[in-house]
């Protein structure tokens, strides 16, 4: 009796695996008949979001170093960025203590990340455009700024999909703070350089924030263990 | 239960076969979609067979949004749809179908859904190169470092697209035997001790998130030349070196001997005393009988005769006419006669019978200077005690209390070590000399000397007694008490 049961179970496995092999890659139901569309699993989405955030942070670090080298080559030695003047809005603060982390919700996490991401899309696009106008900007820096702006836009799409899936909120598109962004075009080269440098300098910090928050979210959603920021 | 499962399986395979056969002919069919780097992708479909002048439209949806038409029908080739970076995203699924606008009406294909990340099929790695390493003596093969470049040309970081490589190689002498190195994470690999031969290498890669491998890259051919020492050579070298070492040892030993020979040639050794015809070893270890045998062949050799105290018992030939005058007084019989000694003429050598351990009584005139024999010693007839070997005179002495008498006659060729002296102690009233033996022995055994000394002391005592009696009673001269 046992033997036959085992054999039957094995046959079931074989059949299922065969079906998986023979069948089409994704069997989504027809859109006409059922309103259910195929979606990518939450696990994959979160993993891709974290990867994007890590990549963006890494490229931001490299961009800052390249910019420093460029400034040295230009002969600009002391381009000091005063803290707190032009960096990210203070509305988004990262919780530090364990109690704070336990108190914040997934909703808060997602919205915080979305705010941060949307805040930086336009400045990065501007920096990319500005760097194209430099005379001797290194190509590595230009490529990286391009990649940063591309990836941050993609990440925004991802966060929106996540919000839709996790929170069930549809169509929540926060209008980016375009009104408050500074699209000034300064004729002063020094000011332009200073602004570009400050964008990259501040964005590096926020990229780390985004990465941290997304990792925490992933830990909560997937691992569901004692997740902490440290 | 088993039968049911088998039937289900059969039905599924049949259905699938039917469907695929349907797709070939009557409906367009999206058969392949591929993305090289997650930023763009392309899809291809099969058209309806045997029909020309048909337009196809591809409609796709992203998630729940409204359907959109394909942005580019050209860039991917015929019957394809190309999605550029603006239209590509990785957060939502794409579902699409192709509609063929025929004379009879539109024919729509099956819906095909995809996830961009999972259709990534990267370009193969390029710029495959190799470096020969580590040319060491004594090793058969060489170390080769094979490296290649990341296939993604645009600056997409490795973090976003983790690539896994697979390298295959074969010895061109065995073209069917491909060997594969799997799960390589770095774009280089080192081969240790690759044997001599010609090898072909090629690489392919895929992203970690999906299972589609790229096509194999262009191959490179690596030739490893054999400067190598084969096993036989190695064995030969080993044997040769051992033989050389043995030869060296032997020659060193021979050199030592050669040096000795040269030394002896230039500085000949002083020969040790040798008796020709006699081996020195025999003298060292041989028995005395054997030595005697050898020596007896030599001229003038006499084997040593070992004598004991029987030498003391001497019987002397009567030829030497020694007529001691006997001092007699009053006809008293004396127990011990003390004979006076008168100088007489030496007749001749005394023949001395010597009894030797072998029982043989041999006569010899000369005793070899054997330690156990002594020949008659000369006596002295002097007044003064210090004896001096004077002219040889026979002497007959007797010891009081001892029942023997000795006539000792010195031989003319007595060896000086065998002297037997007498000292004149005094003169008897009758004019006779009172002689006291003075024994001068050389190389005598101690017991013999002791005996002689005892004899001497005894004689001394007797003479004193005699003197005292003579003094006390002059009429009874020569009468011992």
């Amino acid at each position: 009796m046992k033997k036959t049961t085992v054999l039957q179970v094995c046959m079931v496995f074989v059949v299922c695996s065969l079906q998986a092999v023979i069948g089409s890659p994704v069997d989504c139901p027809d859109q006409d008949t059922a309103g259910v569309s195929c979606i990518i699993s939450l696990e994959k989405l979160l993993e891709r979001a974290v990867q994007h955030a890590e990549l963006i942070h890494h490229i931001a670090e490299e961009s800052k170093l390249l910019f420093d080298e460029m400034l040295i080559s230009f002969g600009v030695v002391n381009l000091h960025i005063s803290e707190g003047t032009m960096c990210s809005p203070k509305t988004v603060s990262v919780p530090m203590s364990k109690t704070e982390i336990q108190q914040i919700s997934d909703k808060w996490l997602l919205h915080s990340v979305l705010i941060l991401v949307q805040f930086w899309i336009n400045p990065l696009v501007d920096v990319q455009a500005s760097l194209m106008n430099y005379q001797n900007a290194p190509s590595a820096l230009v490529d990286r700024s391009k990649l940063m702006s591309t990836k941050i836009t993609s990440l925004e799409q991802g966060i929106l999909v996540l919000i839709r899936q996790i929170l069930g909120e549809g169509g929540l598109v926060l209008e980016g703070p375009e009104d408050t962004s500074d699209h000034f075009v300064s004729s002063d080269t020094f000011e332009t350089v200073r602004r570009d440098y400050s964008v990259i300098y501040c964005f590096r910090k926020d990229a780390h924030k985004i990465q941290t928050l997304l990792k925490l979210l992933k830990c909560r959603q997937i691992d569901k263990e004692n997740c902490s920021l440290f | 239960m088993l039968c049911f499962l088998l039937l289900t399986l059969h039905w599924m395979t049949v259905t699938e076969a039917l469907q695929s056969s349907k797709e070939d002919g009557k409906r367009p069919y999206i058969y392949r979609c591929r993305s090289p780097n997650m930023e763009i992708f392309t899809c291809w479909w099969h058209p309806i067979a045997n029909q020309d002048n048909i337009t196809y439209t591809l409609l796709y949806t992203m998630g729940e949004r409204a359907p959109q038409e394909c942005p580019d029908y050209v860039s991917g080739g015929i019957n394809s749809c190309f999605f550029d970076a603006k239209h590509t995203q990785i957060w939502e699924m794409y579902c699409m179908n192709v509609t063929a606008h025929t004379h009879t009406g539109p024919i729509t294909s099956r819906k095909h859904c995809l996830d961009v990340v999972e259709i990534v099929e990267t370009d193969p790695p390029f710029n495959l190169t190799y470096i020969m390493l580590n040319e060491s003596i004594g090793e058969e093969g060489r170390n080769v470092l094979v490296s290649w470049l990341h296939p993604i040309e645009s600056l997409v970081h490795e973090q976003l697209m983790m690539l896994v490589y697979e390298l295959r190689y074969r010895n061109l002498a065995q073209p069917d035997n491909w060997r594969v190195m799997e799960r390589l994470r770095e774009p280089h690999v080192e081969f240790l001790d690759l044997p001599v031969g010609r090898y072909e290498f090629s690489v392919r890669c895929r992203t970690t998130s999906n299972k589609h491998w790229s096509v194999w890259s262009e191959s490179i051919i690596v030739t490893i030349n054999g400067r190598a020492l084969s096993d036989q050579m190695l064995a030969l070298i080993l044997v040769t070196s051992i033989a050389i070492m043995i030869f060296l040892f032997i020659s060193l030993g021979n050199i030592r001997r050669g040096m000795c020979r040269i030394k002896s040639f230039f500085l000949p050794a002083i020969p040790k005393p040798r008796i020709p015809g006699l081996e020195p070893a025999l003298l060292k270890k041989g028995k005395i009988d054997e030595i005697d045998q050898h020596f007896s062949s030599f001229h003038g050799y006499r084997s040593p005769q070992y004598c004991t105290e029987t030498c003391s018992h001497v019987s002397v030939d009567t030829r030497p006419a020694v007529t001691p005058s006997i001092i007699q007084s009053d006809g008293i019989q004396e127990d011990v006669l003390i004979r006076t000694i008168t100088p007489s003429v030496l007749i001749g050598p005394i023949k001395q019978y010597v009894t030797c351990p072998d029982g043989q009584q041999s006569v010899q005139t000369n005793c070899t200077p054997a330690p156990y024999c002594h020949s008659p010693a000369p006596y002295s007839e002097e007044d003064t005690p210090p004896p001096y070997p004077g002219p040889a005179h026979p002497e007959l002495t007797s010891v009081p209390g001892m029942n023997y008498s000795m006539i000792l006659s010195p031989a003319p060729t007595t060896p000086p070590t065998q002297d037997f002296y007498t000292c004149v102690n005094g003169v008897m009233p009758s004019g006779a000399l009172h002689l006291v033996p003075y024994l001068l022995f050389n190389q005598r055994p101690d017991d013999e000397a002791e005996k002689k000394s005892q004899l001497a002391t005894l004689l001394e005592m007797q003479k004193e007694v005699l003197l005292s009696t003579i003094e006390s009673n002059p009429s009874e001269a020569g009468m011992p008490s």
Side-chain angles (χ1 to χ4, degrees), chain A residues 16-51:
Chain A
C16 290
S17 61
L18 278 172
Q19 188 176 5
V21 167
I22 292 168
S24 59
V26 177
D27 277 336
C28 291
D30 198 350
Q31 198 168 5
D32 295 335
T33 55
V36 180
S37 59
C38 300
I39 55 167
I40 299 173
S41 68
L42 188 63
E43 191 179 13
K44 287 182 185 173
L45 285 174
L46 283 166
E47 193 177 323
R48 291 171 198 179
V50 168
Q51 277 181 354

Side-chain angles (χ1 to χ4, degrees), chain A residues 68-85:
Chain A
D68 286 336
E69 287 174 10
M70 187 180 73
L71 288 176
I72 291 167
S73 69
F74 284 172
V76 179
V77 179
N78 48 357
L79 190 70
H80 181 63
I81 302 295
S82 57
E83 287 290 335
T85 52

Side-chain angles (χ1 to χ4, degrees), chain A residues 29 31 44 48 55 147 154, chain B residues 90-91 111 115 118 155 157:
Chain A
Q31 198 168 5
K44 287 182 185 173
R48 291 171 198 179
L55 176 66
L147 190 62
S154 174
Chain B
I90 59 168
W91 311 103
K111 189 158 71 171
D115 183 4
E118 292 191 2
L155 187 66
H157 208 270

Side-chain angles (χ1 to χ4, degrees), chain A residues 7-8 11-12 15 18-19 22-31 35 37-40 44-45 48-49 51-52 54-55 58 62 143-144 147 151 154-155 157-158 161 164, chain B residues 1-2 5-6 8-9 12-13 16 38-39 61 63-65 67 86 88-93 95 110-118 155-162 208:
Chain A
L7 194 61
Q8 283 165 9
M11 283 301 295
V12 167
V15 167
L18 278 172
Q19 188 176 5
I22 292 168
S24 59
V26 177
D27 277 336
C28 291
D30 198 350
Q31 198 168 5
S37 59
C38 300
I39 55 167
I40 299 173
K44 287 182 185 173
L45 285 174
R48 291 171 198 179
Q51 277 181 354
H52 266 74
E54 284 173 348
L55 176 66
H58 189 88
E62 289 180 355
D143 291 340
R144 276 168 175 78
L147 190 62
K151 291 303 170 189
S154 174
L155 185 60
Q157 292 176 9
V161 170
R164 223 177 293 140
Chain B
M1 181 68 177
L2 193 63
L5 285 171
L6 283 170
T8 313
L9 186 62
M12 278 163 54
T13 49
E16 200 58 43
M38 292 197 289
E39 291 180 352
T61 58
E64 292 177 357
R65 298 183 196 181
K86 284 183 192 170
T88 306
Q89 47 86 35
I90 59 168
W91 311 103
E92 285 174 311
M93 297 276 282
C95 290
R110 276 181 72 232
K111 189 158 71 171
H112 183 83
C113 294
L114 59 94
D115 183 4
V116 175
V117 171
E118 292 191 2
L155 187 66
V156 175
H157 208 270
E158 286 93 359
Q159 264 184 330
L160 199 58
M161 286 183 64
M162 287 289 291
T208 50

